Amino acid sequence: MEDEVDRLVAAWRRERPDLDVEPLEVLSRVSRLARHLDRARRLAFAEHHLESWEFDVLTALRRAGTPYQLSPGQLLTQTLVTSGTMTNRIDRLAKKGLVARLPDPSDRRGVLVRLTDEGRDRADQALAGLLAQERAILAELSPAQRGELAGLLRQLTAPFDNIPG
Amino acid sequence: MEDEVDRLVAAWRRERPDLDVEPLEVLSRVSRLARHLDRARRLAFAEHHLESWEFDVLTALRRAGTPYQLSPGQLLTQTLVTSGTMTNRIDRLAKKGLVARLPDPSDRRGVLVRLTDEGRDRADQALAGLLAQERAILAELSPAQRGELAGLLRQLTAPFDNIPG
DNA sequence: GTGAAGTGTCTTGACGTCGAGGTAAATGGG
DNA sequence: CCCATTTACCTCGACGTCAAGACACTTCAC
């Protein structure tokens, strides 16, 4: 089955036969697929009355385990947004009662963001919905293919995640 | 080499051992990698004084071949943005002299967006820069692995690209 | 201890995107 | 033909993000 990137690459080969556009076969697909996934996630979360950005923050806290709290800085590295964005997100989630801001007892510059009970429940429900949707998308691939794909992607993401970028 | 998604998946298995979070091994990596790529692209384009969104539009037109023109609607499907966004993008590119808006002679509702000479040159230069950067990122993988990865990704993107979603 | 550098978070303003809705033109069944 | 539907693009207001910089506190070398 052909996809939009096949058409894109073919067009470049016609227009710029002097260039080697092979990198696009991988990385343009990654970007485009991510964009499609964003849209799909938005729909899935809407059923639980959550925005994607809310899900990202709530689940980061949920994964941290009891007592479900992290510093804004820790949330930054997990969600890949800037500090100003995170401040704004925490404000809005706090206003909705899904998280609470607490002073960090060990560093007076610091803050701890704690998930409320409602926040935890909402995160759990939305996660279940997301996994169901993602399973459907991945049904295109065999389990072995999924494992292979995960491994290849890990090789590309590891440098970004380990060398501060 | 471990990446952030390995840590994320391990955390979920600890916190929610009842759930099968295997889909995240693939799709969270896709989303995170795309985010890293966005940042890297922004840096690469800055050297050519282009924004990512400008690159996306200009190269879509460049790929179309002489006379380098497409309708806003065709640009939508290639760039995965909404029509309001595209109108805005075309406005700004036209103001910078990189594209021109022409009436579509065969449909009076329609518009054709045409690349200017300067727009074409800028697109060509930025593309070369992008490819160099992407090649560096993909050096993590062997040619065979890159081919495999492209094939697996195609299987996931094809349904999105072919069934209107 | 003290001052300089580093760290953690928040503030601000500009910007780009989205979604909903609006207008105008094309299409097609009766 | 004609009217309902569809298609193509644009307008507008709300919203989320970013980058740069401000501020308060901590750390470390001396």
Side-chain angles (χ1 to χ4, degrees):
Chain A
M1 175 89 90
E2 200 181 36
D3 71 357
E4 195 65 30
V5 173
D6 283 322
R7 296 186 267 273
L8 177 154
V9 166
W12 279 128
R13 297 215 161 110
R14 174 166 37 73
E15 290 299 318
R16 296 295 308 275
D18 55 313
L19 287 180
D20 171 16
V21 295
E22 192 246 3
L24 302 180
E25 295 267 13
V26 171
L27 298 185
S28 291
R29 282 195 175 89
V30 170
S31 293
R32 286 187 65 92
L33 180 54
R35 205 129 169 73
H36 287 302
L37 290 174
D38 274 350
R39 292 180 165 190
R41 291 200 329 156
R42 207 171 311 168
L43 289 179
F45 293 146
E47 296 177 19
H48 301 276
H49 306 287
L50 271 187
E51 306 291 327
S52 297
W53 63 264
E54 295 178 310
F55 177 86
D56 287 342
V57 176
L58 296 181
T59 52
L61 293 167
R62 177 65 181 84
R63 278 196 304 276
T66 323
Y68 306 122
Q69 59 187 23
L70 291 172
S71 70
Q74 290 174 306
L75 287 170
L76 289 192
T77 69
Q78 294 207 30
T79 53
L80 298 178
V81 298
T82 61
S83 68
T85 297
M86 187 53 68
T87 297
N88 186 15
R89 288 183 174 187
I90 296 167
D91 284 348
R92 285 172 285 156
L93 287 170
K95 202 167 295 176
K96 294 177 72 171
L98 302 179
V99 306
R101 255 202 195 88
L102 310 171
D104 181 338
S106 69
D107 184 337
R108 279 194 293 175
R109 291 169 306 182
V111 166
L112 289 175
V113 181
R114 161 126 57 160
L115 205 54
T116 64
D117 288 350
E118 187 192 347
R120 190 174 63 80
D121 293 346
R122 300 281 293 279
D124 281 343
Q125 290 160 19
L127 175 63
L130 177 69
L131 286 172
Q133 185 193 60
E134 296 203 337
R135 229 167 259 126
I137 292 169
L138 289 169
E140 295 287 326
L141 301 179
S142 71
Q145 285 179 313
R146 292 199 289 269
E148 217 169 321
L149 180 49
L152 291 166
L153 289 171
R154 181 190 291 107
Q155 289 190 58
L156 292 182
T157 55
F160 288 107
D161 282 344
N162 294 309
I163 301 166
Chain B
M1 177 90 90
E2 198 181 37
D3 71 357
E4 195 65 29
V5 173
D6 283 322
R7 294 186 268 273
L8 178 155
V9 166
W12 279 128
R13 297 215 161 112
R14 176 167 35 72
E15 290 298 315
R16 296 293 309 272
D18 56 314
L19 288 182
D20 171 16
V21 294
E22 192 246 2
L24 303 180
E25 295 267 13
V26 171
L27 298 186
S28 291
R29 281 196 175 89
V30 170
S31 293
R32 286 186 66 91
L33 180 54
R35 207 131 170 69
H36 287 302
L37 290 175
D38 274 350
R39 292 180 165 191
R41 291 200 327 158
R42 206 171 315 169
L43 289 179
F45 294 146
E47 296 176 19
H48 302 275
H49 306 287
L50 272 187
E51 306 291 327
S52 296
W53 63 263
E54 295 177 311
F55 177 84
D56 288 341
V57 176
L58 296 180
T59 51
L61 293 167
R62 177 66 182 83
R63 279 197 302 276
T66 321
Y68 305 123
Q69 59 188 23
L70 291 172
S71 69
Q74 291 173 305
L75 288 170
L76 288 193
T77 70
Q78 293 207 32
T79 54
L80 297 178
V81 298
T82 61
S83 68
T85 297
M86 187 53 67
T87 298
N88 186 17
R89 287 183 175 187
I90 295 166
D91 284 349
R92 285 173 284 154
L93 287 170
K95 202 167 295 176
K96 294 178 72 172
L98 302 179
V99 307
R101 255 202 195 86
L102 309 171
D104 181 338
S106 69
D107 183 337
R108 278 194 292 172
R109 293 168 308 180
V111 166
L112 290 175
V113 181
R114 161 125 58 160
L115 206 51
T116 65
D117 289 350
E118 187 192 347
R120 189 174 63 79
D121 292 346
R122 299 281 294 278
D124 280 343
Q125 290 160 20
L127 175 63
L130 177 69
L131 286 172
Q133 185 193 60
E134 296 204 336
R135 231 169 256 124
I137 292 169
L138 289 169
E140 295 287 326
L141 301 180
S142 72
Q145 286 179 314
R146 292 198 288 269
E148 215 169 325
L149 180 49
L152 291 166
L153 289 171
R154 182 190 290 106
Q155 288 190 56
L156 292 182
T157 55
F160 288 106
D161 281 343
N162 294 310
I163 300 168

